[in-house]
Amino acid sequence: SALRQAIGQYATEPLLTGAKLSDGFSHFFCNLHRTANHKSMESTNNQVIAIQNKTGKELSKLQKQFNNYSRRVEKLKKELRDTEAVLDKARQKVNETLLPLEKKKFDLKTEILWVLDRQHDALPKRDREKLSEFISEQARNFIERFGKDELKPLFEKHEQKSFEEHEQEMNQKTGETMKQMFEMFGIDLDEDADLSDVNTFKDAYERKAEADQARHEERQAKRKKTPKQLEKEEKLKQEAHNITKTVQSAYRQLVKEFHPEREQNSTERERKTLIMQRITAAYEADDLFELLRLQLEYNQKDSGDFALLPNEQLKYYNKLLKEQINELEDELWQLQSGDNPFQPSFYQTFCTPP
């Protein structure tokens, strides 16, 4: 009874990745956000990108939209900076504080397996069978996940087969499951496919999806398009061209002013080189918001100048800013939620209150 209780506690107690933070550690991470917000406020540029109509007239719908999108981009950029700052601090704290504790706990769990093994023969037959099953399962987990090959003799003693034999059996089962999945989804199986690797199906499925999409697009391209469809395609092409020109125009204005090669003074050339690096980074990232901010920051534009933008150009600005909002939201979500939707991310585990 006592042995069963001890095994149950051992089996259910998680390693670091699933553990709840201690009160002290939780307190540290609750303060992380305040620290990050304070630093972010210190480092944020004060230039506000907004249309200010100095004549007192009410802003148009497009102008209001521009201001709303600009505020949203600024807010998302700040959230990204804060999140990255919090993650950096959290990773540092985990490496310094929790990983050593995890290693110590892991070593103790390994030692407990050897202790249980030494007690094995003194137990009744029924308990010996349950204990053997438990020891072999835990030893296999530690060998496969953490490379603890020194536990192989322990595994083989209680499983009564070599670890290599066990792997062959598991690979065979995985292969049979993979074959069924290939057949279910109608995917052709390569003769040399490694069916022991679960990524084999994932890669093959993605290749099939891409091939199906290519065939669909090919069929669509062969179909004769109506005048309306052709007109719509031409309109989209022209819009994409104009949007590209919008970003290029803002970029060229900045380059014309700050290209360092045209500067004779060495100090000024160094300053312009740093500015040019920011300009190039914003252009390569299609970051219209940052290009506009740079124009304000270096007095190429006054905030009132945006009120003079024609509606056609303002429409392209708004479209670009909306696309940027979507990209920033995706980036923030990825940073906070991680790659696996079925388990908490590092941010959710260590950077949010318990």
Side-chain angles (χ1 to χ4, degrees):
S1 165
L3 181 62
R4 291 194 193 101
Q5 185 177 355
I7 291 174
Q9 183 177 356
Y10 175 97
T12 55
E13 189 174 353
L15 288 174
L16 168 67
T17 51
K20 276 199 170 186
L21 302 176
S22 67
D23 290 340
F25 206 65
S26 301
H27 177 71
F28 167 79
F29 283 123
C30 287
N31 288 328
L32 272 180
H33 290 273
R34 286 197 290 272
T35 305
N37 287 336
H38 178 68
K39 290 187 176 179
S40 178
M41 287 175 66
E42 289 179 346
S43 62
T44 300
N45 194 288
N46 291 325
Q47 295 292 344
V48 177
I49 300 175
I51 293 176
Q52 299 174 6
N53 197 331
K54 296 179 180 179
T55 64
K57 290 175 62 177
E58 185 180 356
L59 297 179
S60 69
K61 182 179 178 180
L62 283 173
Q63 289 173 330
K64 289 177 182 178
Q65 193 176 57
F66 177 89
N67 286 350
N68 288 336
Y69 285 166
S70 293
R71 283 193 291 269
R72 180 63 179 155
V73 170
E74 179 62 56
K75 183 179 178 183
L76 285 167
K77 280 176 172 277
K78 182 181 180 303
E79 284 185 54
L80 274 169
R81 289 194 300 269
D82 292 346
T83 301
E84 286 166 352
V86 167
L87 281 168
D88 286 344
K89 286 276 188 183
R91 290 188 187 104
Q92 181 182 348
K93 188 68 174 179
V94 166
N95 289 335
E96 292 174 356
T97 307
L98 290 188
L99 288 185
L101 291 175
E102 184 187 48
K103 183 181 182 305
K104 186 175 180 181
K105 182 177 180 180
F106 179 78
D107 291 341
L108 287 171
K109 283 197 166 191
T110 303
E111 182 58 34
I112 289 173
L113 289 181
W114 290 107
V115 172
L116 292 173
D117 172 64
R118 289 195 290 271
Q119 300 297 319
H120 176 269
D121 292 345
L123 297 173
K125 181 179 178 181
R126 184 178 177 185
D127 285 345
R128 287 202 305 270
E129 290 174 353
K130 288 187 176 180
L131 185 56
S132 284
E133 182 181 341
F134 172 78
I135 291 174
S136 63
E137 180 184 343
Q138 293 300 312
R140 175 190 57 76
N141 182 41
F142 285 0
I143 294 165
E144 291 178 348
R145 289 183 59 195
F146 305 107
K148 299 288 282 186
D149 288 347
E150 63 268 29
L151 290 175
K152 282 185 178 180
L154 192 62
F155 171 86
E156 291 168 355
K157 172 184 174 182
H158 291 276
E159 191 67 23
Q160 297 192 352
K161 68 176 71 168
S162 72
F163 190 76
E164 287 68 28
E165 289 172 333
H166 164 76
E167 281 191 315
Q168 288 175 2
E169 289 179 4
M170 293 303 296
N171 289 342
Q172 185 177 353
K173 289 179 181 178
T174 302
E176 290 170 358
T177 303
M178 294 275 281
K179 283 181 181 177
Q180 292 174 1
M181 293 179 71
F182 272 76
E183 291 172 2
M184 184 187 305
F185 288 90
I187 302 174
D188 294 331
L189 181 63
D190 295 336
E191 291 182 5
D192 58 346
D194 181 9
L195 295 180
S196 65
D197 184 359
V198 294
N199 287 319
T200 300
F201 175 78
K202 177 177 173 289
D203 295 340
Y205 183 82
E206 288 176 354
R207 287 196 300 272
K208 182 178 184 299
E210 289 172 2
D212 290 345
Q213 180 64 24
R215 283 193 294 271
H216 172 73
E217 290 174 359
E218 186 179 355
R219 287 195 298 269
Q220 290 290 100
K222 287 180 179 178
R223 289 180 181 175
K224 190 174 180 180
K225 295 174 183 175
T226 65
K228 206 170 194 178
Q229 287 174 323
L230 291 171
E231 183 183 350
K232 184 179 179 182
E233 281 187 5
E234 187 58 35
K235 186 178 178 182
L236 289 173
K237 281 182 186 177
Q238 187 60 41
E239 190 175 81
H241 174 71
N242 291 336
I243 287 172
T244 302
K245 279 180 64 177
T246 298
V247 177
Q248 288 176 343
S249 175
Y251 172 69
R252 285 173 184 150
Q253 289 173 24
L254 287 162
V255 170
K256 185 177 179 181
E257 177 73 23
F258 294 105
H259 203 294
E261 289 181 4
R262 297 168 185 162
E263 183 57 58
Q264 300 299 317
N265 182 284
S266 59
T267 304
E268 187 65 10
R269 184 165 58 249
E270 185 177 345
R271 183 183 80 91
K272 286 188 174 182
T273 298
L274 295 175
I275 295 172
M276 196 63 207
Q277 288 173 356
R278 292 177 61 192
I279 293 169
T280 303
Y283 177 66
E284 289 178 350
D286 282 333
D287 191 343
L288 174 68
F289 181 84
E290 195 60 30
L291 290 172
L292 295 177
R293 190 209 295 277
L294 287 165
Q295 287 182 329
L296 284 175
E297 184 176 341
Y298 295 108
N299 298 321
Q300 279 198 325
K301 281 188 182 294
D302 181 83
S303 59
D305 293 344
F306 292 125
L308 304 177
L309 288 172
N311 283 344
E312 194 66 19
Q313 188 174 0
L314 198 55
K315 184 174 71 174
Y316 295 137
Y317 274 24
N318 288 348
K319 189 172 181 64
L320 276 167
L321 290 173
K322 183 67 173 75
E323 289 175 359
Q324 192 168 354
I325 287 170
N326 293 338
E327 291 170 3
L328 289 169
E329 286 175 340
D330 288 345
E331 188 178 348
L332 184 63
W333 183 87
Q334 183 71 24
L335 206 58
Q336 294 180 346
S337 302
D339 297 322
N340 190 337
F342 301 106
Q343 66 181 29
S345 67
F346 183 91
Y347 181 87
Q348 290 164 340
T349 302
F350 297 113
C351 304
T352 56

